[in-house]
């Protein structure tokens, strides 16, 4: 079933519920058209309608599935009492009924004329009057009724202080979407009609995404791992991982291993909460056999069992401690290291020394540092090791921890057997941005090699600093057990083509994940330069308002992505002043249901998606943002990481994308964007 079907379902009078559930079960038994109750539409390939009183249920079907597209009233029956189905003998199928079906399926199409800063279209009046009685039928909470009843125009409705969930429900029933557009929406799975009853009554909040035939095959593929699924943004890697949990438990139960425990790890707290909710729906009581947690939270929990963990320092504090440690090493060593940026030295500790759990200078001397950009000779490695020792001692004196140190401690507690809890299977989602130590920790938590399953996309790696999977751990050998997903379900063809072309030109991504096949189409992404910050904010506000009106979504469905926190705070303030309530937030604090435009850094947006995305402040000093003292040998690797960061930002967009850059200091990446893929406003 499609999201529009779920939203329109609330428009059914409660008196019809039993009949609708009966008719859906009737379809499940036999969806083939009979020319009366069930009929094929003439103007739409493979789309059918089922008559239910004065309502029409539109659907498609295959050999073992039925897809519910939409359920809506005939126009003359809109928001009236609807009677039960009449006997078949009374039906007279004529041209007028055929015309009505086609007209109902046409919905309320809308046309996009392209973004224009000068565009100030008058907001049309709503075609119907919103009444408290109708809102009750839609199951809109009564406290929201006054704000909705007061709406006279589309803009009134889209700017109402009402959660987006309810605005979408109202909008889809006032402006039914064309069936052709609904076909492009994602599919949700309905296992039992009783779940629809629970949903309509408010007891069930979400449904699982449906897998296509390729994804479905991969759920049970290489069930005894290790196995890896690769694919670009929106290809469904994470959804497959969720279903794989169920397959692992099913297989365990069938083979007499009903005590199997599964560990599911994903990238952010937000995604962890969402994954947990979906797994609860998918697994029911068996959810007690699954632990859902981020890799870092696991590390903190394990490390805390051995010793008390003090405050975990952020980047700024660690940089300050590193500079303090620099004063404690010899002049010779300080001179050798002073040509490197503090952040580069911190990454050397995070990704190489702590990241690979290096315990001695001799081991560090022999470590392959591929991907770090700058070659270190023996003298430089000696100086770096001395700095690391002083840095580590300073952390201990201050009773402050780095997250990389905690990961390392947790890894050694598991390896040494101090921490003994293991899992029959470990599923690692978005593995490409974990340090080797984090990956090794998760691998060690698997009871055996066959219980490992990873999803990854090197093209989305914004932290990756060079390592191969087999070098991380002996268990991570995927020969013959790696599959690439090709179909993109998130973004339009236009956005996917623009983003993939950008990364492909620079040879910074995984070629296998840069060949997306998208079923959706939409406006061409926009590229716009500005002369002043004030211009940028006005362009941005205008774009969000126009695109949200075109998509008939609240402006809060938009996200503004920025290079850094300072830019984000300014953007949120400026948009709020211009009449678009906005909030700057970190990825861990993000509330997707809040009634403001979300402003966050590009890196914090990783793993998320938004219907409308604008990326602002694309100045060269911010992205790539190379410091003046950056070593020539380091620049190549830093540029590759920065390009992947911008790619991640672009692929957060589902339907609309805009990039804004200063004319006088544009990011060098602007010149790398293919001319044919962008509308240059």
């Amino acid at each position: 079933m499609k999201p529009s079907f779920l939203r329109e379902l609330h428009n059914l009078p409660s008196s019809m519920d039993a009949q609708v559930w009966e008719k859906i079960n009737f379809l499940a038994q036999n969806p083939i058209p009979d020319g009366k109750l069930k009929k094929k539409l003439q103007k739409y390939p493979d789309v059918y309608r089922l008559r239910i009183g004065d309502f029409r249920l539109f659907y498609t079907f295959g050999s073992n599935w039925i897809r519910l597209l939409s359920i809506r009233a005939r126009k003359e029956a809109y928001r009236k009492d609807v009677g039960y189905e009449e006997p078949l003998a009374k039906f007279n199928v004529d041209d007028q009924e055929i015309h009505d079906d086609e007209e109902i399926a046409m919905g309320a199409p809308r046309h996009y004329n392209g973004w224009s800063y000068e565009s100030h279209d008058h907001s049309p009046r709503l075609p119907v009057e919103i009444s408290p009685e109708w809102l009750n039928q839609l199951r809109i909470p009564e406290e929201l009724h006054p704000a909705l009843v007061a709406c006279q125009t589309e803009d009134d409705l889209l700017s109402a202080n009402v959660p987006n969930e309810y605005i979408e429900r109202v909008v889809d029933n006032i402006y039914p979407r064309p069936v052709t557009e609904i076909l492009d929406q994602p599919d949700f799975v309905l296992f039992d009609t009783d779940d629809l009853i629970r949903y309509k009554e408010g007891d069930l909040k979400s449904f699982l995404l449906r897998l296509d035939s390729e994804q479905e095959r991969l759920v049970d593929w290489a069930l005894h791992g290790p196995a890896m699924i690769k694919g670009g943004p929106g290809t469904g890697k994470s959804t497959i991982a969720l279903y794989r949990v169920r397959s692992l438990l099913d297989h365990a139960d069938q083979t007499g291993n009903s005590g199997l425990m599964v560990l599911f790890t994903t990238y952010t707290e937000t995604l962890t909460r969402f994954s947990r909710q979906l797994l609860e729906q998918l697994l029911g009581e068996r959810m007690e056999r699954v632990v859902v947690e981020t890799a870092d939270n696991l590390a903190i929990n394990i490390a805390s069992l051995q010793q008390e963990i003090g405050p975990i320092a952020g980047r700024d504090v660690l940089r300050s401690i590193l500079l303090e440690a620099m004063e404690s090493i010899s002049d010779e060593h300080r001179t050798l290291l002073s040509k490197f940026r503090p952040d580069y030295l911190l990454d050397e500790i995070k990704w190489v020394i702590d990241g690979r759990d290096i315990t001695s200078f001799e081991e560090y001397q022999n470590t392959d540092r591929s991907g770090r950009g700058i070659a270190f000779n023996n003298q430089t490695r000696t100086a770096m090791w001395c700095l690391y020792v002083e840095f580590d001692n300073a952390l201990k004196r201050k009773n402050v921890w780095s997250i990389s140190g905690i990961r390392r401690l947790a890894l050694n507690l598991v390896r040494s057997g101090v921490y003994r809890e293991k899992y029959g299977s470990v599923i690692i989602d978005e593995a490409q941005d974990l340090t080797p130590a984090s990956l090794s920790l998760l691998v060690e938590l698997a009871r055996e090699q066959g219980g490992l399953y990873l999803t990854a996309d090197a093209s989305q790696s914004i932290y990756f600093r060079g390592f191969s999977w087999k070098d991380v751990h002996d268990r991570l050998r995927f020969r013959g057990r790696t599959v690439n997903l090709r179909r993109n379900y998130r973004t339009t063809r236009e956005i996917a083509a623009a983003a993939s072309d950008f990364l492909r030109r620079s040879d910074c991504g995984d070629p296998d994940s840069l060949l997306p096949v998208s079923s959706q189409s939409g406006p061409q992404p926009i590229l716009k330069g500005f002369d002043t910050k004030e211009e940028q904010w006005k362009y941005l506000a205008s774009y969000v308002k126009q695109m949200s009106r075109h998509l008939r979504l609240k402006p809060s469905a938009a996200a503004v992505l920025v290079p850094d926190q300072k830019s984000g705070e300014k953007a949120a303030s400026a948009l709020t002043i211009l009449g678009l309530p906005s909030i700057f937030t970190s990825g861990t604090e993000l509330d997707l249901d809040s009634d403001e435009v979300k402003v966050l850094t590009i890196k914090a947006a990783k793993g998320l998606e938004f219907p409308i995305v604008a990326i602002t402040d694309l100045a060269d000093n911010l992205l790539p943002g190379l410091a003046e003292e950056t070593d020539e040998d380091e620049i190549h690797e830093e540029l590759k990481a920065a390009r992947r960061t911008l790619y991640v930002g672009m692929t957060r967009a589902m339907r609309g994308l805009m990039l804004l850059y200063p004319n006088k200091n544009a990011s060098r990446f602007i010149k790398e964007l293919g001319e044919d893929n962008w509308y240059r406003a």
Side-chain angles (χ1 to χ4, degrees), residues 589-657:
E589 298 170 346
L590 179 64
D591 179 4
L592 293 172
D593 296 323
S594 69
D595 203 24
E596 300 105 351
V597 174
K598 286 76 178 170
V599 184
L600 60 165
T601 65
I602 302 174
K603 291 183 178 180
K606 191 169 178 356
L608 304 175
E609 61 186 29
F610 304 91
I612 305 164
V613 167
I615 306 178
T616 68
D617 276 316
L618 286 175
D620 204 60
N621 62 309
L622 295 177
L623 194 76
L626 298 176
E628 290 183 7
E629 64 271 22
T630 304
D631 190 286
E632 283 295 325
D633 293 329
E634 183 189 353
I635 287 177
H636 180 66
E637 290 297 327
E638 289 298 312
L639 287 177
K640 286 170 65 175
R643 287 188 180 97
R644 290 195 294 263
T645 298
L646 182 55
Y647 171 77
V648 165
M650 290 191 283
T651 55
R652 300 310 93 196
M654 301 165 68
R655 305 290 298 279
L657 173 64

Side-chain angles (χ1 to χ4, degrees), residues 83-124:
Y84 278 73
E85 190 67 68
E86 297 182 8
L88 281 176
K90 294 186 177 181
F91 286 145
N92 292 312
V93 180
D94 55 25
D95 291 340
Q96 181 61 42
E97 180 177 326
I98 293 172
H99 176 75
D100 285 347
D101 287 336
E102 305 287 347
E103 188 176 318
I104 296 167
M106 188 181 298
R110 51 193 184 279
H111 304 286
Y112 182 66
N113 299 319
W115 173 79
S116 169
Y117 173 59
E118 303 299 329
S119 177
H120 298 286
D121 296 336
H122 175 69
S123 179

Side-chain angles (χ1 to χ4, degrees), residues 12-25 52 84 193 197 200:
L12 281 168
S14 298
S15 59
M16 290 193 65
D17 285 354
Q19 186 184 7
V20 171
W21 315 144
E22 178 186 344
K23 287 295 172 64
I24 291 175
N25 285 326
I52 309 177
Y84 278 73
T193 309
I197 299 172
K200 192 165 187 283

